[in-house]
Amino acid sequence: MFTLVHLDTPPPESLKSQVLQMVVDYLGDISPVSLTPSNPLYQLYQYVVGYEVHLYLQAMDGALDSGAQLVLALDDLDPARVLGFALYLPAQDDPEACTLAYTAVQASHRRRGIARAMLQHMVTRRPHADLACVPGKVPTFEAMGFQVLAAHGPQVLMSTRNQRADGLVAVQDLAPIFQSKEVRQIHAYLVKQHGQTAMREAERQRDRQLDQLAERARALVRERLT
């Protein structure tokens, strides 16, 4: 069993570290790029997405309506253990709206209602909830009450209502992360480890994957909306 905890201030370091570890462990599940560990770029995206989530958690402040909010599922037998998390962004100018940024559940505890419970908790607070996911995740979110709205690149836009919320959401700008010294160092290490040719092929593989996901997203939306 599990207990849900809602946070609007930065979580304790022990819980934060577990959330960030889940981002690293389940990158393929939560990233719109959907890279596999066999792609040399996987390590780079682990850092980028992990740092993005770190920035959201660091900036959480209950005094700001625009700050990120965090729902944690904690193990009843070991309340210090995080079984799942849902990180969402409340709209700044709409008290009912929010956008789900990232969610994940420990592989050992999936199919036990944890993800559904976390999202239901979020929707109870912010009933007009939007999200974007890769096409393969659409049935999962449909089962939780979200409906398909449109395709957006490699992702499918979904909402608890039949239209997107109009509220403004404060999202992290990823450009500075990709341009950071740390990312350049990781890339240089990967080039040294795998070689320039392999890294160029990894980038082409990523781009092909994104193109395929975009086509699948468009096809799925056409199927759902016709």
Side-chain angles (χ1 to χ4, degrees), residues 4-5 13 20 23 53 56 64 73 79 86 96 99 136 145 152 154 169 171 214:
L4 296 182
V5 175
E13 190 60 36
L20 295 177
V23 173
V53 173
Y56 278 126
L64 300 175
E96 291 197 347
T99 296
H152 181 68
V169 175
V171 299

Side-chain angles (χ1 to χ4, degrees), residues 103-120:
T103 186
V105 175
Q106 295 284 2
S108 59
H109 284 72
R110 293 177 184 176
R111 299 186 182 279
R112 301 187 187 185
I114 294 176
R116 180 184 295 273
M118 292 190 300
L119 267 60
Q120 286 178 340

Side-chain angles (χ1 to χ4, degrees), residues 160-193:
T160 52
R161 298 181 180 174
N162 59 8
Q163 63 183 18
R164 293 186 69 183
D166 293 327
L168 297 175
V169 175
V171 299
Q172 290 291 339
D173 183 4
L174 295 185
I177 303 177
F178 275 106
Q179 296 165 6
S180 67
K181 180 181 70 174
E182 289 80 7
V183 166
R184 291 198 301 271
Q185 289 174 336
I186 294 171
H187 190 269
Y189 166 78
L190 293 172
V191 169
K192 183 177 180 180
Q193 185 179 33

Side-chain angles (χ1 to χ4, degrees), residues 48-63:
V48 170
V49 178
Y51 194 69
E52 178 193 5
V53 173
H54 161 75
L55 291 177
Y56 278 126
L57 298 179
Q58 188 178 54
M60 286 174 64
D61 188 340

Side-chain angles (χ1 to χ4, degrees), residues 8-19:
D8 55 14
T9 56
E13 190 60 36
S14 60
L15 300 181
K16 176 182 176 180
S17 63
Q18 292 180 69
V19 170

